[in-house]
Amino acid sequence: MTRHFLRDDNLSPAEQAQILDLAARLKEDRFLAKPLQGPKTVAVIFDKTSTRTRVSFAVGIADLGGVPLIMDAQGSQMGAKESIADTARVLDRQVAAIVWRTFAQSGLEEMAAHSEVPVVNALSDEFHPCQLLADLLTIKEHKGELAGLTVAFIGDGSSNMAHSYLLACATAGMNVRIAAPAAYQPDAQVVADAQAISASTGGSVTVTQDAKAAATGADVVVTDTWVSMGQEDQKAQRVADFAGYEVDASIMANANAEAIFMHCLPAYRGYEVSADVLDGPQSVIWDEAENRLHAQKALLVWLLQASARDVRG
């Protein structure tokens, strides 16, 4: 059966741990695995602009012995003259995997339903699971084992990053706290899914409107932009709504003294995070950005090995 990675809980706790362990090995030896040698091709499709995702997948696919086929949706027939299902049927006869950065999660699900090669969510409006693999790798590097650590996500709880933090951290057995204004709380079903996972992994889930309470005693403090792609016309309103949720020195003072700060970037100093925190000694954002490369390579290796089909490309 072909394995896909559309949201964080597509991986079991053991599978997530395997990928993170492999990512650490690939970081030590970038050319350890060559599953795409041939070279085989991986389609990397962008409906949204990108820096870290575009670079890390292109470099990572090359490291694995393959060729990245970078496609902008505007330059293809997908979603206009050709359905997502038909596009999947065309691509999976020629490529080893499909990576897609898009808007609706439903599109990814349709692509996966009609593809015999792995489909990877490189970002959707609902989830950002590749970023979370990189974030967990970064946390593990700085803190050791993940289980039992407390992570505080402060900001837009309805965002793809907050949703992925809920699912991925629950899978890792961590205590995840989301602090967001009332109008920006996470999706109730995602919270319920994370709580169900936590019941079996020993983690916990807390959703609150109190940013300082969420940060209290945390090992990791995380935020993300308040104004995501497609929300630019809402900037003034969202900045007003998130007053009091900027991660600054006063927020960090509530966390553990050895806490680290994370942000998936791009970051806007003076909005969701103060410059002294983003550029300060507790910030590990550049490790986090680099780890997109290693985590995604490990994910592709794992998906190709786990999928019960010889890849073509």
Side-chain angles (χ1 to χ4, degrees):
M1 181 182 72
T2 304
R3 293 293 300 269
H4 306 290
F5 189 53
L6 309 183
R7 46 185 275 170
D8 308 79
D9 54 354
N10 287 160
L11 300 175
S12 70
E15 291 168 345
Q16 183 193 73
Q18 289 169 9
I19 292 170
L20 293 175
D21 288 344
L22 177 57
R25 296 199 302 274
L26 288 170
K27 187 170 184 176
E28 291 181 0
D29 182 355
R30 280 182 55 169
F31 307 106
L32 176 66
K34 293 280 189 179
L36 296 172
Q37 198 158 24
K40 297 182 175 71
T41 300
V42 175
V44 189
I45 309 168
F46 291 94
D47 292 348
K48 296 185 176 186
T49 57
S50 167
T51 298
R52 278 151 294 279
T53 298
R54 187 181 296 261
V55 172
S56 57
F57 268 112
V59 173
I61 291 162
D63 283 358
L64 297 176
V67 174
L69 172 62
I70 307 296
M71 302 170 59
D72 289 322
Q74 300 92 326
S76 75
Q77 305 285 9
M78 185 173 65
K81 295 181 179 179
E82 189 166 60
S83 69
I84 293 171
D86 285 354
T87 300
R89 294 183 181 104
V90 170
L91 289 176
D92 79 353
R93 289 175 175 247
Q94 302 182 61
V95 303
I98 301 167
V99 177
W100 191 11
R101 181 181 177 94
T102 188
F103 293 91
Q105 184 75 11
S106 58
L108 283 155
E109 292 167 356
E110 184 178 357
M111 180 77 79
H114 294 90
S115 173
E116 294 187 30
V117 300
V119 175
V120 174
N121 178 358
L123 177 143
S124 70
D125 288 344
E126 287 87 348
F127 302 101
H128 199 355
C130 287
Q131 181 67 56
L132 259 291
L133 288 177
D135 287 8
L136 292 179
L137 177 62
T138 306
I139 296 168
K140 191 172 182 181
E141 286 177 342
H142 286 270
K143 295 295 181 182
E145 293 304 312
L146 297 174
L149 293 178
T150 297
V151 177
F153 181 96
I154 297 171
D156 186 354
S158 64
S159 67
N160 51 12
M161 282 297 293
H163 289 160
S164 278
Y165 257 93
L166 282 163
L167 296 179
C169 291
T171 300
M174 304 170 78
N175 304 305
V176 56
R177 303 170 182 167
I178 306 294
Y184 298 91
Q185 296 284 290
D187 181 88
Q189 186 57 58
V190 175
V191 173
D193 291 343
Q195 290 171 331
I197 295 168
S198 291
S200 63
T201 63
S204 67
V205 173
T206 302
V207 178
T208 179
Q209 296 179 44
D210 191 331
K212 288 191 174 181
T216 298
D219 302 292
V220 183
V221 179
V222 189
T223 191
D224 190 18
T225 179
W226 295 338
V227 185
S228 295
M229 284 177 283
Q231 299 173 337
E232 290 81 6
D233 60 340
Q234 306 169 32
K235 180 177 179 178
Q237 183 61 56
R238 293 176 73 89
V239 168
D241 291 345
F242 285 104
Y245 287 87
E246 179 187 14
V247 177
D248 56 15
S250 68
I251 291 288
M252 293 300 295
N254 290 273
N256 284 341
E258 301 300 318
I260 58 175
F261 170 78
M262 302 178 70
H263 191 307
C264 68
L265 305 175
Y268 301 93
R269 294 165 176 82
Y271 288 93
E272 74 272 10
V273 59
S274 61
D276 60 325
V277 170
L278 187 73
D279 302 315
Q282 291 173 281
S283 175
V284 296
I285 58 172
W286 306 122
D287 293 341
E288 183 184 4
E290 178 191 343
N291 282 340
R292 286 290 298 277
L293 171 65
H294 312 300
Q296 289 163 184
K297 285 171 62 179
L299 173 68
L300 286 172
V301 172
W302 189 90
L303 287 172
L304 292 169
Q305 291 175 344
S307 298
R309 177 183 186 268
D310 290 332
V311 297
R312 294 173 286 190

